[in-house]
Amino acid sequence: MPLSSTFSEKTFGDLPGWGEDDHLAAFAAFRRSAFHAPVKPYRSGLLGVDFNAFAEAYAEARAVSAPNRSEARSFFERHFVPMLVKAENGSGLVTGFYEPEVEASPVRTERFTVPLLSRPADLIDIDDGNRPAGLDPYLAFARRTDGGPVEYFDRGEIERGALAGRNLEIAWLAEKVDAFFIHVQGAARLKMTDGRLARITYAAKSGQRFTGPGKILSDLGEIPLDKVTMQSIRAWFKAHPDRVDEILWQNHSYIFFREAAVDDAALGPIAAAKVPLTPGRSVAVDRLLHTFGTPFYVDAPTLTAFDQKPFRRLMIAQDTGSAITGPARGDLFAGSGDAAGEIAGVVRNAADFYALVPRALLDGASR
């Protein structure tokens, strides 16, 4: 597959702030993908960045465990060529995501009444091979019934008890809004009341389209669109506890989780690229277009939430999300806990994306 015209070749000198970045931090994240690559190859994106072209870079990354910052920079400059990614609407966009950390109970109590659920047995994957006539073509999940697959219970139905009595509860939270934002982020660390630090991560979803509360509240005139952040949404819910269900149930999508280990407290959950996310260095991209493991240099000069200076960093594509669509669109992983949430909740900035394309791919095209 030829490289897409979405890419235009640049030099590393064209990348604003390239010389000032910490390439060693990006190398550590890239190396995690390098070790996963031999286990199960990543799918090549539709824009033509062939996974196989990463082989030489991945092999060297696996072999070099402790380079210094200068050597890490040299590694990327030797193996890759920067390509400006053409944005669909003139400018790219970055948002932020994080791993919430909340208190939870292993059992239901008077305080902890909101469950986080594991995948139900009757939730099945749906594709064109088993999709019955009339079922929404968007749905990738459905409910198994004797009469064939049907749309799964939506958020409102589940929260009203559609799955009660199935022993699906992994843990219980005190606040419904906390549970909802865990659904949005797709993972969480749980500070269990019995002293354990646990983690849950995405397992499946009911399948319906996601409808964000920010848009709903903006459409209702409750929060101006340019003021919609995670923080402003939380504040509105706190001020209107009697309307939480009214707003949240308009988002029919519901997320199911699985338990996961916390092997390294400094890293985030294992995400779509099957490696732990690195705070400030992992980015979620459109996986249909891009290839996991691709380094992206992101230039977002108006974004200062991460370290009080313009965001210019080398990131590694290691996750995706249903809202992350388009070639110049990324979701930056801010880390775990409340401080990371304060950063992620306000990120919505214009950005230029430079994909670092393996030189091996370009050399092959020129022969």
Side-chain angles (χ1 to χ4, degrees):
M1 179 187 299
L3 199 61
S4 169
S5 60
T6 298
F7 298 119
S8 58
E9 186 170 340
K10 301 293 179 180
T11 69
F12 283 100
D14 294 326
L15 276 54
W18 172 256
E20 288 72 56
D21 191 23
D22 182 1
H23 304 90
L24 184 56
F27 178 83
F30 181 83
R31 192 167 184 261
R32 294 185 184 96
S33 282
F35 275 99
H36 174 75
V39 177
K40 185 176 181 181
Y42 293 134
R43 181 176 61 191
S44 298
L46 295 177
L47 295 182
V49 178
D50 188 345
F51 165 80
N52 295 308
F54 287 86
E56 185 177 335
Y58 278 157
E60 181 175 329
R62 291 192 296 269
V64 179
S65 60
N68 58 40
R69 289 179 64 160
S70 176
E71 291 168 340
R73 174 178 173 175
S74 174
F75 170 86
F76 288 111
E77 292 178 350
R78 283 185 291 104
H79 284 287
F80 298 95
V81 175
M83 296 274 186
L84 178 64
V85 182
K86 182 179 179 181
E88 294 177 323
N89 299 312
S91 177
L93 175 68
V94 288
T95 49
F97 72 112
Y98 77 114
E99 182 185 37
E101 185 171 288
V102 298
E103 190 176 6
S105 171
V107 296
R108 181 175 179 137
T109 69
E110 184 176 344
R111 178 186 172 201
F112 295 96
T113 61
V114 182
L116 297 168
L117 302 182
S118 60
R119 179 173 180 158
D122 62 349
L123 180 69
I124 60 173
D125 295 353
I126 287 289
D127 55 30
D128 291 341
N130 64 346
R131 186 185 309 280
L135 188 67
D136 186 344
Y138 175 87
L139 297 176
F141 296 91
R143 180 162 59 94
R144 182 193 297 112
T145 72
D146 291 341
V150 299
E151 182 176 334
Y152 208 79
F153 301 119
D154 67 18
R155 173 174 296 276
E157 291 171 317
I158 292 170
E159 293 191 354
R160 290 190 295 270
L163 299 179
R166 299 197 191 184
N167 296 317
L168 300 175
E169 297 84 2
I170 297 173
W172 300 82
L173 307 186
E175 299 291 340
K176 181 174 288 189
V177 173
D178 284 342
F180 177 78
F181 279 104
I182 289 173
H183 282 222
V184 172
Q185 303 300 327
R189 292 187 191 184
L190 305 179
K191 296 180 290 185
M192 305 299 289
T193 54
D194 60 11
R196 292 180 295 125
L197 179 62
R199 169 177 275 150
I200 55 166
T201 190
Y202 171 90
K205 57 185 177 181
S206 59
Q208 297 90 350
R209 291 167 178 80
F210 174 83
T211 304
K215 183 179 187 308
I216 296 169
L217 291 171
S218 175
D219 290 346
L220 290 173
E222 297 289 341
I223 304 177
L225 185 59
D226 63 346
K227 301 296 184 182
V228 170
T229 64
M230 182 180 68
Q231 289 86 340
S232 67
I233 294 169
R234 279 187 175 275
W236 190 92
F237 282 137
K238 186 174 182 178
H240 303 85
D242 57 319
R243 298 186 65 187
V244 170
D245 288 341
E246 170 200 337
I247 302 302
L248 293 187
W249 288 351
Q250 292 185 57
N251 171 46
H252 292 177
S253 177
Y254 189 92
I255 305 300
F256 300 102
F257 298 96
R258 61 179 177 83
E259 296 182 75
V262 184
D263 295 322
D264 186 340
L267 298 177
I270 293 175
K274 305 305 180 186
V275 297
L277 297 176
T278 303
R281 292 294 168 175
S282 293
V283 60
V285 298
D286 187 334
R287 72 178 304 177
L288 293 178
L289 300 179
H290 295 299
T291 305
F292 282 155
T294 300
F296 282 87
Y297 191 72
V298 179
D299 176 25
T302 64
L303 172 57
T304 59
F306 275 79
D307 53 11
Q308 308 309 309
K309 60 183 181 181
F311 189 94
R312 294 183 167 113
R313 290 191 188 184
L314 186 59
M315 310 288 287
I316 311 300
Q318 293 176 323
D319 201 5
T320 192
S322 58
I324 311 304
T325 59
R329 177 73 174 90
D331 207 16
L332 311 174
F333 180 62
S336 305
D338 291 343
E342 289 298 310
I343 295 172
V346 299
V347 178
R348 188 175 182 85
N349 299 78
D352 288 329
F353 288 77
Y354 298 86
L356 270 58
V357 174
R359 289 188 184 275
L361 183 63
L362 302 180
D363 291 344
S366 65
R367 287 198 292 270

